[in-house]
Amino acid sequence: DSKNTQAANTIGTYEKIWDYLSKVIESDEKAKYNVLDWGSGFGLGTQALKDRANALRSSNAKFTVNSYEPFFKGDEKFAPSLKSKPAANSQDFIVNNVVMNVITADERAELLQDIYKSLKEGGTAVITARSIPQVFKVKAPYQLVGPAEIITSRGTFQKGFTPDSLDTFVKEVLPDAITSHIPSSYQLSPVTVVVTKPFLSGSIKSDTADSVQSTSIGAELMDPDKQLSGKKLGKFSLYLAADAVEEGYSLLNKKAYKEKKEQFEESSST
């Protein structure tokens, strides 16, 4: 539900992300850009991006800033401008701000693939997620359900990341992507990875049966005695070997999250 996906204090992050992207834009001779706020929630960040784009003093650059909220249910004040996923190879810039930390492992892999597919060759996506300290700052009771993963008293899921864990996750799901980081001088508080789609990168092949890009990421196959559910998928996926869990990867998928949430609600009511 997109009612729970954005708070007003994320606006400053959007503004800093734009300040970074504007430097990339100023060094490019192209005059027209598509910018997408993917996971726009109430649209607060989208408006911040529009305000920043309108204020940019470049005499040549023109921007189309759109928003997409996959969990929009039609009852919010702000309706996203895109009603469905953007077309492949259609976006110059995508901002996905603090969404990765509120969705489960299978959803994260699928989201990254969708974002990458939507980027034009040479396009850039800024991916951010809450850090582990940010996730555990909650004052209300919560249930620990995995490595740096909790279900809050409101029944929402949160996972904390380190710079290395987010970077590793992105590289495993998108091995062809070029990854980099926003300089610390921008003072972004979420953990951040910049993803660039190289020219002539080719198409993404997705294994829809498992909702993960299992055949295209060069994943290491696990030994038979370490496999779960008989699936030979990469360490990034929801089916993981025990040693992968020790490294901070998650076993939690949407079904497991629902079960954990129900258990937490039952224990809280007694």
Side-chain angles (χ1 to χ4, degrees), residues 5-6 10 12-14 16-18 20 37-39 94-103 108 111-112 115 125-131 134 158-163 166-167 170 180-182 188-195:
T5 60
Q6 189 173 45
T10 61
T13 301
Y14 276 93
K16 291 175 182 178
I17 289 172
W18 178 264
Y20 167 77
D37 180 13
W38 191 311
I94 294 176
V95 178
N96 182 249
N97 187 32
V98 290
V99 175
M100 290 291 165
N101 50 281
V102 298
I103 55 178
R108 287 195 294 273
L111 174 58
L112 279 175
I115 288 174
V126 177
I127 311 294
T128 77
R130 299 289 187 194
S131 67
Q134 287 174 326
Q158 289 278 351
K159 177 177 178 64
F161 287 86
T162 65
L166 182 60
D167 189 65
V170 170
S180 58
H181 298 88
I182 295 178
L188 280 167
S189 57
V191 178
T192 306
V193 174
V194 179
V195 176

Side-chain angles (χ1 to χ4, degrees), residues 39-55:
S40 56
F42 287 130
L44 304 176
T46 307
Q47 189 58 51
L49 292 175
K50 288 181 178 179
D51 292 343
R52 277 292 208 264
N54 292 334

Side-chain angles (χ1 to χ4, degrees), residues 134-154:
Q134 287 174 326
V135 165
F136 284 96
K137 280 179 67 175
V138 293
K139 296 180 180 179
Y142 60 83
Q143 181 183 14
L144 186 66
V145 294
E149 297 175 337
I150 64 173
I151 294 177
T152 69
S153 59
R154 295 189 301 158

Side-chain angles (χ1 to χ4, degrees), residues 10-211:
T10 61
I11 294 176
T13 301
Y14 276 93
E15 292 174 340
K16 291 175 182 178
I17 289 172
W18 178 264
D19 290 343
Y20 167 77
L21 291 179
S22 67
K23 300 299 181 184
V24 179
I25 292 167
E26 289 174 359
S27 64
D28 194 337
E29 296 180 355
K30 187 176 178 181
K32 295 182 179 179
Y33 301 91
N34 290 322
V35 183
L36 178 63
D37 180 13
W38 191 311
S40 56
F42 287 130
L44 304 176
T46 307
Q47 189 58 51
L49 292 175
K50 288 181 178 179
D51 292 343
R52 277 292 208 264
N54 292 334
L56 194 65
R57 295 184 177 180
S58 171
S59 59
N60 296 321
K62 295 182 180 179
F63 303 92
T64 300
V65 179
N66 283 309
S67 56
Y68 173 57
E69 174 51 66
F71 299 106
F72 177 68
K73 293 187 176 181
D75 57 351
E76 288 89 347
K77 294 181 179 179
F78 179 88
S81 55
L82 299 186
K83 307 303 180 186
S84 58
K85 292 178 184 178
N89 305 308
S90 63
Q91 303 300 311
D92 295 293
F93 298 101
I94 294 176
V95 178
N96 182 249
N97 187 32
V98 290
V99 175
M100 290 291 165
N101 50 281
V102 298
I103 55 178
T104 54
D106 47 348
E107 295 172 302
R108 287 195 294 273
E110 185 176 359
L111 174 58
L112 279 175
Q113 293 165 24
D114 286 341
I115 288 174
Y116 192 70
K117 183 178 180 180
S118 299
L119 282 175
K120 296 178 181 179
E121 291 184 352
T124 297
V126 177
I127 311 294
T128 77
R130 299 289 187 194
S131 67
I132 293 175
Q134 287 174 326
V135 165
F136 284 96
K137 280 179 67 175
V138 293
K139 296 180 180 179
Y142 60 83
Q143 181 183 14
L144 186 66
V145 294
E149 297 175 337
I150 64 173
I151 294 177
T152 69
S153 59
R154 295 189 301 158
T156 58
F157 172 74
Q158 289 278 351
K159 177 177 178 64
F161 287 86
T162 65
D164 286 343
S165 66
L166 182 60
D167 189 65
T168 298
F169 186 80
V170 170
K171 287 178 178 177
E172 288 182 346
V173 179
L174 304 174
D176 295 330
I178 300 170
T179 60
S180 58
H181 298 88
I182 295 178
S184 58
S185 58
Y186 287 88
Q187 298 182 335
L188 280 167
S189 57
V191 178
T192 306
V193 174
V194 179
V195 176
T196 301
K197 188 175 186 178
F199 290 94
L200 302 176
S201 59
S203 61
I204 296 177
K205 297 180 181 179
S206 178
D207 187 341
T208 55
D210 297 310
S211 297

